[in-house]
Amino acid sequence: MLAFAGIWQLLTARNVRFWLRFDQLPTAVEVGRALVLRIGTAEYWHDLADSLRRIGCGFLLAALLGVAAGVLTARSRWAADLLGPVLELVRPIPAIALVPVAIMLFPENEQGIVFITGTAAFFPVLVATRHAVRAVPPLWEEAVRTMGAGRARVLWSVVLPGALPGVAGGLSVGLGVAWICVISAEMVSGQFGVGYRTWSAYTVLDYPGVFVGMVTIGLLGRVTSGAVELLGRRLTAWLPPTGPTAPAAVAPGPGPTEVRT
């Protein structure tokens, strides 16, 4: 990050203009000064609170509905035939394209922004949950059914824990998409929030203020996605470690008949 800021400062301070026009951008020092000034105002923290409240409400709704719909369509053929075509028809529509619909549906902008944010996060969670549930080995279910477990017990004790790593990945992706859409919705129809303040800075040619908004959005997204990933690791702590830190499997040694004297 320090190297990136140093290169940015060098290119903008020297007004480098080679295909990309760095002479049009504020320097890293100017953005840093603007960020310090903005942090010292109550308006900055109010905007953060507004954006966090919107993302929290929309993401929570998307998580609950997305996991429920994913499990339902993966486990029930009837639900897949009934809901699947509708969901697949709506899924390619960008959530930000629903801004006019949200304005017509909801009496307040706040509700419309939460709706757009929830819609954006809903489909990544839905798809990840559906694939994760379908990937649970059938042998796990059969083993539990042989011990007398019913459908509810199989779902709660086998399917959901087995699908949890995939669900956690879908939640992380959904949160990133939700941040994109909540900022875009605030720019279009919001009255408060980080996105609204960033767009307002652009309209008055306050370019350091625009970059302050961008830096704030990046930090908020990193902190919230890190929290979701941490929660996912805590919920799946029972899984064996994988990746480069996992203990390597020990190859079996030669059998008794293979040992040479």
Side-chain angles (χ1 to χ4, degrees):
M1 294 302 296
L2 291 176
F4 174 78
I7 295 173
W8 178 8
Q9 175 67 23
L10 180 65
L11 293 174
T12 52
R14 293 182 176 273
N15 294 324
V16 174
R17 191 185 181 102
F18 181 73
W19 185 51
L20 297 176
R21 301 181 299 174
F22 293 98
D23 57 331
Q24 303 292 324
L25 301 178
T27 65
V29 173
E30 292 173 343
V31 174
R33 290 173 181 169
L35 178 60
V36 172
L37 292 175
R38 286 282 294 151
I39 289 176
T41 63
E43 183 182 71
Y44 179 83
W45 298 105
H46 290 161
D47 289 335
L48 257 65
D50 291 331
S51 295
L52 286 172
R53 184 182 66 252
R54 291 162 175 168
I55 200 78
C57 294
F59 181 70
L60 181 60
L61 290 173
L64 295 176
L65 297 177
V67 171
V71 173
L72 189 61
T73 53
R75 299 285 296 176
S76 171
R77 180 62 180 271
W78 176 83
D81 293 339
L82 183 63
L83 300 177
V86 178
L87 294 174
E88 292 303 315
L89 181 65
V90 179
R91 186 162 67 95
I93 301 175
I96 195 62
L98 299 176
V99 169
V101 178
I103 294 174
M104 290 184 289
L105 280 178
F106 298 96
E108 297 181 4
N109 288 342
E110 193 75 16
Q111 298 170 351
I113 293 175
V114 171
F115 166 75
I116 293 169
T117 306
T119 304
F122 170 78
F123 288 103
V125 176
L126 165 70
V127 174
T129 302
R130 185 171 60 195
H131 286 299
V133 170
R134 289 175 177 173
V136 174
L139 183 62
W140 294 2
E141 296 186 43
E142 295 173 3
V144 177
R145 289 185 186 278
T146 58
M147 293 184 286
R151 292 174 61 89
R153 183 61 183 273
V154 169
L155 178 65
W156 185 254
S157 300
V158 177
V159 175
L160 292 180
L164 196 55
V167 174
L171 291 174
S172 181
V173 174
L175 182 60
V177 177
W179 268 115
I180 295 173
C181 288
V182 73
I183 296 299
S184 302
E186 288 178 347
M187 289 182 175
V188 174
S189 61
Q191 296 178 343
F192 308 99
V194 179
Y196 170 78
R197 204 65 58 186
T198 303
W199 182 254
S200 298
Y202 173 74
T203 58
V204 297
L205 304 182
D206 179 14
Y207 296 129
V210 173
F211 278 84
V212 167
M214 294 169 60
V215 171
T216 303
I217 295 165
L219 291 175
L220 288 174
R222 181 66 188 92
V223 170
T224 52
S225 64
V228 171
E229 292 174 1
L230 178 61
L231 177 62
R233 288 196 297 270
R234 291 290 180 87
L235 294 176
T236 57
W238 51 272
L239 288 172
T242 58
T245 60
V250 179
T257 59
E258 299 173 338
V259 177
R260 295 182 179 180
T261 58

